[in-house]
Amino acid sequence: DDIHLYTITVNYYYIDCSDGNAKKVFDQAAYIIDGTKVTDGHPYQITSPAQTNVPVAVQNCTANATDDIFYPEEPTISITSAELAALGSEREMTREVKYVPFTATYSFVYKLKNLTGNGYTEIDRENNVHGVKNSTVTATVKNFDYAEFESTTPTLITEESGQEIDVFYTRKNFLLSFNTNGGTPVNAIQSPYGSEVTIPSSNPTRTGYTFAGWYLDEGLTQPAGNKVTLNADQTLYAKWTGKTVNYTIVYMFEKYNEEGTSSSFVYDNSEVGQATVGSTVSATNANIPDKTRKGWEKDNAQNASSSIEVKADGSAVLYVYYKLKEYTFRFNAGTYETGGWFSNTYNVYATL
């Protein structure tokens, strides 16, 4: 099929009463449209600039002008298929839109569909919008974080004041997500803005822990309760209480090799301890059973750096170190030198 292109030129003007009522074109726009897409029920529409500033001299000599802003008599230009057909082979058209002082004041009222789907509630409005009586006005569409534009109807301004033009919105859907903090997954819930969402009664599970509820914040300071009002995408956080489980305490004792030239820590014995999952246990903790044995004492330096995080599967192993005690022996050699008896001191490590 042939494409029938048409050129539409629009001149926007006002009357300059300070210059002999001359027509002053302050803006011009050209549009190329495909005539095959213009049908009886779907005219091509052009939106005029919402307003224009005129010189103060024009305001002062124009009847009914109260400020230096003029408004279009035709806010929306509609080009019909019949008008295009009447152009014949020329396929060019010029339209003019006159700007005049405002003669009407009206309001844009923004309404949100109710959760029930029955009716709308006002969420915002723009009052004291200026325009021209007997012109057709399309309300300005605003953006809201929680709503999506639905519809508005071009309205003929028939009153000088008090007329309202409605703009309708539907509610956006938001997600309620669940951060289980290591527990089994919980599916997110999608619901419209403002919905009161019931938190699932089926709780997540986590090995070694007991579920302690859902919280609104990551720091787990604000309990969520049983229901949440969804005003945006939101995440709930799971709190857990660690169960008491076993862990292994391994006792390492310092011993010398057969030659007595060096020492090392070797396994001596072990036993089972208990603590809360996720807690940290150190070899210096007071509740670690002490192994009192002649010739050895706890190695505080080694134990200070020995700690574990208790695991749910009981696999955590804590090492506790005991070092050989150090004794000092004094030997009196029985040798007399000038000034008194002479004696030597030796440090000896017990291996009893």
Side-chain angles (χ1 to χ4, degrees):
D1 295 339
D2 293 336
I3 296 177
H4 299 280
L5 299 180
Y6 294 82
T7 300
I8 311 298
T9 301
V10 183
N11 294 324
Y12 302 100
Y13 73 96
Y14 59 83
I15 299 300
D16 187 352
C17 56
S18 66
D19 187 21
N21 291 327
K23 182 186 293 186
K24 293 295 178 72
V25 175
F26 66 87
D27 196 8
Q28 184 182 75
Y31 303 87
I32 297 177
I33 64 176
D34 181 357
T36 61
K37 295 182 179 180
V38 180
T39 63
D40 291 342
H42 294 87
Y44 184 81
Q45 293 189 323
I46 300 171
T47 300
S48 302
Q51 60 189 46
T52 188
N53 290 85
V54 298
V56 174
V58 174
Q59 172 199 340
N60 291 339
C61 67
T62 301
N64 302 321
T66 59
D67 56 38
D68 60 354
I69 299 176
F70 281 17
Y71 300 86
E73 288 185 327
E74 193 176 5
T76 303
I77 304 168
S78 294
I79 309 297
T80 66
S81 57
E83 288 177 298
L84 295 179
L87 296 176
S89 60
E90 291 185 5
R91 297 183 182 174
E92 292 185 359
M93 176 191 297
T94 298
R95 294 285 294 268
E96 293 186 322
V97 178
K98 183 180 180 180
Y99 280 67
V100 296
F102 78 88
T103 57
T105 301
Y106 43 88
S107 300
F108 297 151
V109 182
Y110 300 88
K111 296 183 176 181
L112 180 65
K113 183 175 286 186
N114 296 332
L115 281 169
T116 59
N118 182 21
Y120 293 80
T121 299
E122 181 179 327
I123 55 173
D124 196 11
R125 67 166 47 230
E126 187 176 341
N127 293 322
N128 298 318
V129 181
H130 290 166
V132 178
K133 188 177 177 181
N134 297 321
S135 66
T136 299
V137 172
T138 301
T140 301
V141 176
K142 289 186 176 183
N143 293 322
F144 298 94
D145 292 338
Y146 54 86
E148 293 178 344
F149 171 71
E150 184 179 53
S151 66
T152 187
T153 302
T155 302
L156 178 66
I157 301 301
T158 59
E159 306 292 335
E160 292 183 1
S161 64
Q163 199 164 346
E164 294 184 344
I165 303 173
D166 292 331
V167 188
F168 298 102
Y169 292 79
T170 58
R171 295 169 182 262
K172 285 185 178 179
N173 286 323
F174 293 112
L175 279 179
L176 179 63
S177 303
F178 300 89
N179 184 335
T180 61
N181 283 324
T184 52
V186 175
N187 292 331
I189 298 173
Q190 181 174 275
S191 194
Y193 164 77
S195 298
E196 189 176 63
V197 180
T198 300
I199 297 174
S201 57
S202 179
N203 297 324
T205 59
R206 183 181 176 188
T207 302
Y209 292 85
T210 300
F211 180 71
W214 293 107
Y215 283 73
L216 299 174
D217 61 313
E218 197 169 0
L220 306 177
T221 62
Q222 304 173 54
N226 297 322
K227 296 181 179 180
V228 173
T229 300
L230 205 58
N231 292 326
D233 287 338
Q234 187 169 351
T235 300
L236 298 184
Y237 300 87
K239 183 177 181 179
W240 300 95
T241 301
K243 295 179 179 179
T244 299
V245 299
N246 295 338
Y247 67 95
T248 302
I249 305 171
V250 172
Y251 293 93
M252 306 291 289
F253 279 73
E254 184 182 17
K255 293 184 179 180
Y256 271 89
N257 59 11
E258 292 182 358
E259 293 77 18
T261 57
S262 63
S263 67
S264 61
F265 289 95
V266 298
Y267 172 84
D268 186 88
N269 67 91
S270 64
E271 62 179 74
V272 174
Q274 287 194 324
T276 302
V277 173
S279 64
T280 298
V281 179
S282 171
T284 59
N285 285 13
N287 59 349
I288 300 298
D290 194 8
K291 299 296 181 182
T292 302
R293 191 171 297 178
K294 187 177 181 180
W296 281 270
E297 63 184 355
K298 281 187 175 179
D299 189 334
N300 293 329
Q302 287 272 20
N303 291 333
S305 60
S306 178
S307 64
I308 57 163
E309 180 179 334
V310 179
K311 297 181 180 179
D313 60 3
S315 63
V317 178
L318 176 67
Y319 291 91
V320 181
Y321 296 89
Y322 284 77
K323 65 181 180 179
L324 288 165
K325 288 184 177 179
E326 182 179 335
Y327 294 90
T328 300
F329 290 89
R330 295 182 181 272
F331 296 93
N332 191 336
T335 303
Y336 180 82
E337 294 185 3
T338 303
W341 291 92
F342 174 80
S343 64
N344 291 330
T345 301
Y346 299 90
N347 292 330
V348 180
Y349 294 90
T351 58
L352 301 177

